[in-house]
Amino acid sequence: MQTVQAKQLDQAALKNYLLDHAYDEMFEGPEQLHPHYRPLLEHFSSLPGDELQRRKQAADLSFLNQGITFTVYGREEGTEKIFPYDLIPRIITSAEWEKVERGLTQRITALNLFLKDIYNEGRILKEGIVPREVVYSCKQFRRQMVGLQVPRNVYIAVCGTDLIRLENGEFVVLEDNLRVPSGVSYMLTNRRVMKRIFPQLFRSYNVRPIEQYTQLLLGTLRSLAPEGRPEPNIVLLSPGVFNSAYFEHAYLARQMGIELVEGRDLVTHDNIVYMRTTSGLRRVDVIYRRVDDDFIDPLAFRGDSILGVAGLFNAYRAGNVTLANAFGTGVADDKALYAYVPDIIRYYLTEEPVLQNVETFLLTRPKERQHVLANLDKLVVKAVGESGGYGMLIGPQSTAAEREEFARKIEADPRNYIAQPTISFSRAPCLIGDELEPRHVDLRPYVLYGDKVTIVPGGLTRVALKRGSLVVNSSQGGGSKDTWVLSK
């Protein structure tokens, strides 16, 4: 490894900035800044010694005052945490973003076609492009959706796709989040805080705006309203205040000017959904739901759920209410099905994927399972239905006992796991104390699909704030930073 030296920077601040084989977002090599990072570093170098810390405290105070928190379950010291925020923005050039945008548009288009197909004709299954057993064994496959017509054929209206950069700087897709993707409120609040703390720097960079996201989301939801409802009543359905993303639910509802409701606030009558109000019942036409399928209707799915609305699925099937995202979309973000997405793109669009997948081993295949079991110390193993960094084994950082435990789990239920190479995804500069140090980052852009595909330029850059860690999830010690996509 080599220590970076840059003449225009305070050497003390960079003494722990080490380059290795991972792609670095700021440095091309020793003493070589990527050109688009030069003004940023020069600006930070010109600030008085304690100014960065003062602004960091101002950012933390802003998050605290806004109640921007997340919930970590199972911690004795309490569950509510201020969302960790790093001051140094991640910068993406317009040329890089153009490819990301094309790739994400292609991906959500193909996945929508895939969902329509598997719940109707099943052509891709008949032709063996995707094995039937992968789809039908998925816990998120909903037989109740078979043959049901979805408004505008849009199954996935809101998507958050996780991207990483490989050592050569290429963006690839790590996973798709199609059920109830979260984190967009952090993207928006990060930007607002950054504009307030570094207004001059922000203006000089020609950063493309993202503030329009909530209005674009509202427009997407309007476009999916049932026929004959020109002024649809739209609500956001939340599991309630104890959900880890409740801040986001309240934030988005407020920004869109729609009602935030829980299951107990809604009732169905004659296959129509109504919201209880102080002036009586009011019809609901579109539900932006942040409740998983299992819990959303106790009559159709889990009978013990108290979070949902009895009869909601029947109202949906009758075409009287639209849900975003549709029931059953989770089958397309199953981590085992992820391995087939390049083939899905080729099948429906007759195009090569713009964004590649990470190499993935399917443990239902005996040869691949044997390879994984023999190399657990080198691979990352993931449970196919988990999120938030849970249900994972990071081989190089694991103990022999942990590997033995995962080997038993894989042998007992190979369908429930996939494995991937341990990738040193890209690192970006972070303010750690008074120094800049590199930390691993990913990127979650948010994709909207209604009348057309819309992607705000940027996304949530998540940061593995623990030195050496590859886990960016907030529940596992990660944080976030603002993402600047340049306009030229």
Side-chain angles (χ1 to χ4, degrees):
M1 295 201 295
Q2 298 170 295
T3 303
V4 176
Q5 295 181 344
K7 294 175 184 175
Q8 68 268 50
L9 299 175
D10 182 353
Q11 296 302 306
L14 285 167
K15 67 182 182 183
N16 284 317
Y17 205 104
L18 303 174
L19 294 180
D20 61 11
H21 56 279
Y23 182 87
D24 193 88
E25 300 279 339
M26 182 168 69
F27 283 96
E28 291 184 65
E31 300 187 30
Q32 288 183 289
L33 284 169
H34 288 295
H36 51 281
Y37 267 89
R38 192 175 304 279
L40 178 92
L41 271 292
E42 289 174 349
H43 179 80
F44 282 176
S45 301
S46 70
L47 297 174
D50 62 347
E51 183 62 16
L52 270 182
Q53 283 303 318
R54 191 186 69 78
R55 297 194 190 194
K56 175 75 169 70
Q57 290 168 0
D60 290 344
L61 187 62
S62 177
F63 281 109
L64 180 65
N65 289 339
Q66 293 177 71
I68 301 172
T69 63
F70 67 99
T71 303
V72 180
Y73 300 111
R75 297 286 178 88
E76 291 181 6
E77 66 270 26
T79 58
E80 287 297 312
K81 303 289 181 186
I82 300 299
F83 199 77
Y85 175 69
D86 184 68
L87 273 188
I88 315 298
R90 189 237 193 108
I91 304 173
I92 297 173
T93 65
S94 58
E96 290 172 326
W97 180 252
E98 189 273 333
K99 181 177 180 181
V100 167
E101 199 169 42
R102 281 192 295 115
L104 294 176
T105 300
Q106 178 192 60
R107 201 169 178 100
I108 196 171
T109 302
L111 287 173
N112 263 299
L113 291 170
F114 170 74
L115 287 164
K116 181 189 176 189
D117 187 16
I118 63 167
Y119 285 120
N120 291 279
E121 297 91 349
R123 290 183 297 116
I124 199 168
L125 307 180
K126 291 171 186 171
E127 296 181 33
I129 307 298
V130 176
R132 289 179 187 274
E133 59 268 22
V134 172
V135 171
Y136 295 152
S137 63
C138 176
K139 294 174 184 174
Q140 303 300 325
F141 181 77
R142 303 297 177 200
R143 297 188 183 279
Q144 300 94 326
M145 289 292 291
V146 173
L148 196 154
Q149 295 303 304
V150 170
R152 318 287 192 279
N153 291 317
V154 174
Y155 285 79
I156 310 161
V158 184
C159 174
T161 297
D162 292 343
L163 308 177
I164 58 172
R165 262 199 223 257
L166 302 180
E167 293 175 22
N168 62 5
E170 178 189 3
F171 278 108
V172 296
V173 176
L174 185 63
E175 63 181 53
D176 303 288
N177 298 284
L178 308 177
R179 280 172 279 172
V180 282
S182 63
V184 74
S185 62
Y186 301 125
M187 174 189 82
L188 296 168
T189 50
N190 284 354
R191 173 59 55 85
R192 198 163 67 238
V193 168
M194 201 68 183
K195 287 175 76 172
R196 187 161 62 242
I197 292 178
F198 291 105
Q200 184 179 350
L201 177 66
F202 190 87
R203 283 194 297 271
S204 69
Y205 250 100
N206 291 319
V207 181
R208 292 178 63 183
I210 59 171
E211 293 81 1
Q212 70 276 29
Y213 175 84
T214 51
Q215 290 310 302
L216 292 171
L217 173 58
L218 183 62
T220 298
L221 297 172
R222 283 185 192 280
S223 74
L224 299 175
E227 295 291 343
R229 303 294 294 173
E231 296 295 329
N233 182 29
I234 303 169
V235 300
L236 191 155
L237 177 62
S238 169
V241 294
F242 295 109
N243 184 264
S244 61
Y246 185 74
F247 161 78
E248 175 157 301
H249 306 164
Y251 178 89
L252 290 176
R254 186 169 64 250
Q255 293 293 315
M256 287 189 284
I258 65 175
E259 292 293 335
L260 176 65
V261 299
E262 298 176 28
R264 60 190 175 185
D265 300 317
L266 302 179
V267 63
T268 60
H269 182 65
D270 290 339
N271 286 341
I272 294 176
V273 181
Y274 297 93
M275 174 177 62
R276 292 185 172 98
T277 75
T278 53
S279 56
L281 297 179
R282 184 182 174 199
R283 180 170 173 173
V284 171
D285 304 297
V286 180
I287 299 175
Y288 175 37
R289 51 102 169 212
R290 300 297 294 261
V291 178
D292 283 330
D293 285 359
D294 282 341
F295 301 99
I296 203 163
D297 183 349
L299 297 182
F301 304 109
R302 279 187 55 161
D304 61 346
S305 173
I306 59 171
L307 300 176
V309 186
L312 178 59
F313 185 77
N314 281 340
Y316 179 75
R317 183 162 49 194
N320 294 327
V321 67
T322 300
L323 268 74
N325 287 337
F327 294 106
T329 54
V331 68
D333 70 5
D334 182 286
K335 291 179 176 64
L337 194 123
Y338 158 92
Y340 294 94
V341 174
D343 291 329
I344 289 170
I345 290 170
R346 295 183 189 104
Y347 182 78
Y348 293 110
L349 304 180
T350 60
E351 300 170 356
E352 283 301 306
V354 175
L355 297 172
Q356 299 301 319
N357 272 16
V358 174
E359 181 185 11
T360 300
F361 301 104
L362 295 175
L363 303 187
T364 50
R365 296 172 178 168
K367 274 191 177 179
E368 295 184 26
R369 184 165 68 251
Q370 290 167 14
H371 170 77
V372 169
L373 290 170
N375 293 277
L376 281 176
D377 59 326
K378 305 180 186 71
L379 300 169
V380 175
V381 180
K382 301 177 181 177
V384 296
E386 293 282 358
S387 60
Y390 295 103
M392 284 177 63
L393 174 81
I394 300 178
Q397 298 174 7
S398 65
T399 64
E402 288 169 338
R403 292 194 292 276
E404 285 177 21
E405 181 189 355
F406 258 80
R408 287 194 296 271
K409 289 179 177 178
I410 290 167
E411 293 280 20
D413 188 5
R415 171 63 178 86
N416 195 44
Y417 296 92
I418 56 102
Q420 295 171 330
T422 305
I423 298 170
S424 286
F425 47 95
S426 67
R427 305 190 305 172
C430 295
L431 185 65
I432 309 296
D434 294 323
E435 299 174 12
L436 290 184
E437 295 184 21
R439 293 290 188 268
H440 290 290
V441 294
D442 75 355
L443 176 65
R444 179 177 289 181
Y446 294 91
V447 189
L448 299 172
Y449 193 157
D451 291 334
K452 59 181 180 178
V453 178
T454 309
I455 310 169
V456 292
L460 180 67
T461 287
R462 300 185 299 172
V463 188
L465 288 171
K466 295 177 183 176
R467 183 181 292 176
S469 174
L470 294 171
V471 183
V472 298
N473 306 86
S474 56
S475 56
Q476 309 287 315
S480 71
K481 57 168 70 216
D482 197 9
T483 309
W484 292 7
V485 174
L486 305 183
S487 58
K488 59 180 178 179

